[in-house]
Amino acid sequence: MDTPETEDAQLHKLHGGVGKRQPGKGSLRPGAGLPGPPRSAQHQESPQQCSLEQKGRMNRLYDMEPRVMDDEMLKLAVGEQGPREEAGQLAKQEGILFKDVLSLQLDFQNILRIDNLWQFENLQKLQLDNNIIEKIEGLENLTRLVWLDLSFNNIEAIEGLDMLVNLEDLSLFNNRISKIDSLDALVKLQVLSLGNNRIENMMNIIYLRRFKALRTLSLSGNPVAEDEDYKMFICAYLPDLVYLDFRRLDDHMKELAEMKHQYSIDELKHRENLMQAQLEDEQARREELEEHKAAFVEQLNGTFLFDSMYAEDVEGSKLSHLPGVGELLEAYKDKFVIICLNIFEYGLKQQEKRKAELDTFMECVQEAIQENQEQGKLKIAKFEEKHLLSLNAIREESELSNIETKIVEYSEDITELLNVLMMLEMQLVEQLEETINMFERNIIDLVGLFVENVQSLMAQCRDLENHHHEKLLEIAINVLEKTVKGEMDEDLPDDLRSLFVDKDTIVNAVGASHDIHLLKIDNREDELVTRVNSWCTHLLDKVHKDEIMRNRQRVKEINQYVDHAQSELDSLECGDLLD
């Protein structure tokens, strides 16, 4: 069985300690892998355990003026921590690009604010401990960061980490943090050090359950760690944790903790399962909506369009209270929604046809390119066999006239290869041009048919609206005549009664409602047609541009290969002439 010391040594070998470091220690190698963890177990304990020498350095640090992270500081840090010996001298002469730096050490610099790190786009390790930083910021571009040390600063809140999706090791040891939150984006988090902060509420522990990869946690030195149930609570609520405050959590303690908190844990798991199911449902709805948008028929599989017609129709809402209008509206709505569903279902089927057409086209293109490349490889392989024999023959030939003849023959072989490869490429260009033209015709026909049929169905919606308008106007005029004659048996709401002043007023009210409805139908139709036509245009533009880029790249590759073969011949020819 491992002793506690051995376990600690293993832990710090794997994850490293977090805390104060001596200035100037450690290394940075731009372009290299991550360096070994420089931290140690003793640095994880409270500041009272730091040596007098370390305290003296800290006092001198805080006597310095606050500094900013400018280009001069960053260049100096990169230069000092860069590669040594010949590679280092070359780097100093030519300069090291910030984008090539993988690890950066900026501890004990009295830095007040994180800034100017946007160029370090490939940085994997960043060390900013033992400064006077008050806010986590300026890390948005460091999306490849794996290891971040912000220990021994003045940070009060966890923030600014939303883009660090690859972060595995985070140290915020010895700051002023009182709440664990805003870490949701850190889905790969394995090591979290929050020792020597101001965390009091045990409920902060529950937040950490979402980090499925978390194996090492440090909270010693916080008020929460003084709770007598601290370790048992963490064992129960974070069952996958391996190390807590640099001690391995044994299985027996985990079993006891699970038994003690079983009821609360079961209740929490139930809530988490409900929440997870809700999140999955929401995700499924979002994905479904995206599919409907791709077919340009989103929100046509229900009453959305009909409801939107009345959402801003004040006059229509009033008129709906007229006798007999309720039944008229129900019949109108049912028929209208059926047409919308027809558009929706037709749109999904047409989307499948467009997708199948695109997939078939892409498959044909890839097959043509692959077949053409195979033919090119065969030509190049035959050339290279002859190439080696030709070069050897030229080297072994002693007669100058024979050398010149062989050089001319070999040069002709290179020219012939160039012509053959270019001919193959031209054949491919013609083949793909024909395929692209056929695809363009097919996709334009599909889109055109889709638009034509949708417009026909939308016209049915307008016909329904016109019919409803006529019926509504007829009912309104009838009510007006009864009101004038005093034959109206039913009481009308005051806002509706105000419309029945004269015929012009009621006709205008019914007409205003009708205009709003037609506008909603027209706008939805225009939106659908515009979007599908725009999609078609962009798709075909991309297809043509991709082919142009492919052709240019292939011609470039051919020329580079031929130029290389010619340069070998030229080099050999010059050498022979010198001899």
Side-chain angles (χ1 to χ4, degrees), residues 199-234:
I199 300 165
E200 298 182 1
N201 193 339
M202 196 79 78
M203 292 301 104
N204 279 264
I205 308 302
I206 296 178
Y207 171 76
L208 296 176
R209 285 174 62 84
R210 69 192 65 199
F211 302 102
K212 305 304 181 183
L214 187 65
R215 296 295 178 265
T216 301
L217 175 66
S218 169
L219 287 169
S220 61
N222 284 278
V224 70
E226 298 173 7
D227 192 298
E228 61 181 11
D229 196 36
Y230 164 71
K231 185 174 289 188
M232 295 285 278
F233 188 91
I234 290 179

Side-chain angles (χ1 to χ4, degrees), residues 295-297 300 338-351 353-354 444-463 521 525 528-529 532-533:
F296 312 104
V297 292
L300 286 174
I338 288 173
I339 296 174
C340 288
L341 287 172
N342 288 338
I343 297 173
F344 175 79
E345 291 170 1
Y346 175 68
L348 292 184
K349 290 178 181 177
Q350 288 300 110
Q351 168 64 4
K353 289 183 179 180
R354 292 192 296 270
I444 288 175
D445 288 345
L446 282 174
V447 169
L449 179 64
F450 174 58
V451 168
E452 181 181 342
N453 286 329
V454 165
Q455 289 175 330
S456 175
L457 289 167
M458 283 293 186
Q460 294 180 26
C461 289
R462 276 188 287 272
D463 290 341
I521 296 170
E525 179 184 334
L528 186 152
V529 172
V532 71
N533 284 330

Side-chain angles (χ1 to χ4, degrees), residues 334-398:
D334 291 343
K335 294 177 182 178
F336 191 95
V337 171
I338 288 173
I339 296 174
C340 288
L341 287 172
N342 288 338
I343 297 173
F344 175 79
E345 291 170 1
Y346 175 68
L348 292 184
K349 290 178 181 177
Q350 288 300 110
Q351 168 64 4
E352 287 299 316
K353 289 183 179 180
R354 292 192 296 270
K355 185 176 182 299
E357 184 67 32
L358 179 59
D359 290 344
T360 301
F361 165 71
M362 296 302 296
E363 186 178 339
C364 290
V365 168
Q366 291 304 316
E367 286 179 359
I369 292 173
Q370 186 174 357
E371 182 181 348
N372 188 274
Q373 287 178 343
E374 291 299 325
Q375 293 180 31
K377 287 177 183 178
L378 289 175
K379 300 294 184 183
I380 291 173
K382 290 180 180 179
F383 169 80
E384 288 183 344
E385 289 178 9
K386 190 175 181 181
H387 165 74
L388 293 174
L389 295 173
S390 299
L391 289 179
N392 289 333
I394 293 172
R395 292 190 186 98
E396 294 172 359
E397 185 61 58
S398 57

Side-chain angles (χ1 to χ4, degrees), residues 38-56:
R39 303 179 277 181
S40 64
Q42 64 182 1
H43 294 150
Q44 287 281 2
E45 306 304 330
S46 63
Q48 288 79 2
Q49 297 179 2
C50 297
S51 66
L52 292 175
E53 180 183 355
Q54 288 172 320
K55 288 182 178 180

Side-chain angles (χ1 to χ4, degrees), residues 209 236-237 258-259 261-274:
R209 285 174 62 84
Y237 282 87
E258 184 179 359
M259 292 174 60
H261 293 274
Q262 183 175 0
Y263 178 78
S264 299
I265 292 293
D266 288 345
E267 187 177 353
L268 177 61
K269 285 181 179 179
H270 178 67
R271 292 200 302 271
E272 288 176 341
N273 289 337
L274 290 177

Side-chain angles (χ1 to χ4, degrees), residues 414-463:
I414 294 174
T415 302
E416 182 183 354
L417 176 67
L418 174 62
N419 293 334
V420 168
L421 294 178
M422 285 300 186
M423 181 61 69
L424 281 173
E425 176 57 22
M426 285 303 298
Q427 291 173 357
L428 179 60
V429 168
E430 292 175 0
Q431 182 181 356
L432 291 182
E433 183 178 1
E434 183 179 345
T435 303
I436 290 171
N437 289 338
M438 182 180 297
F439 169 72
E440 186 171 357
R441 288 193 297 270
N442 291 345
I443 207 72
I444 288 175
D445 288 345
L446 282 174
V447 169
L449 179 64
F450 174 58
V451 168
E452 181 181 342
N453 286 329
V454 165
Q455 289 175 330
S456 175
L457 289 167
M458 283 293 186
Q460 294 180 26
C461 289
R462 276 188 287 272
D463 290 341

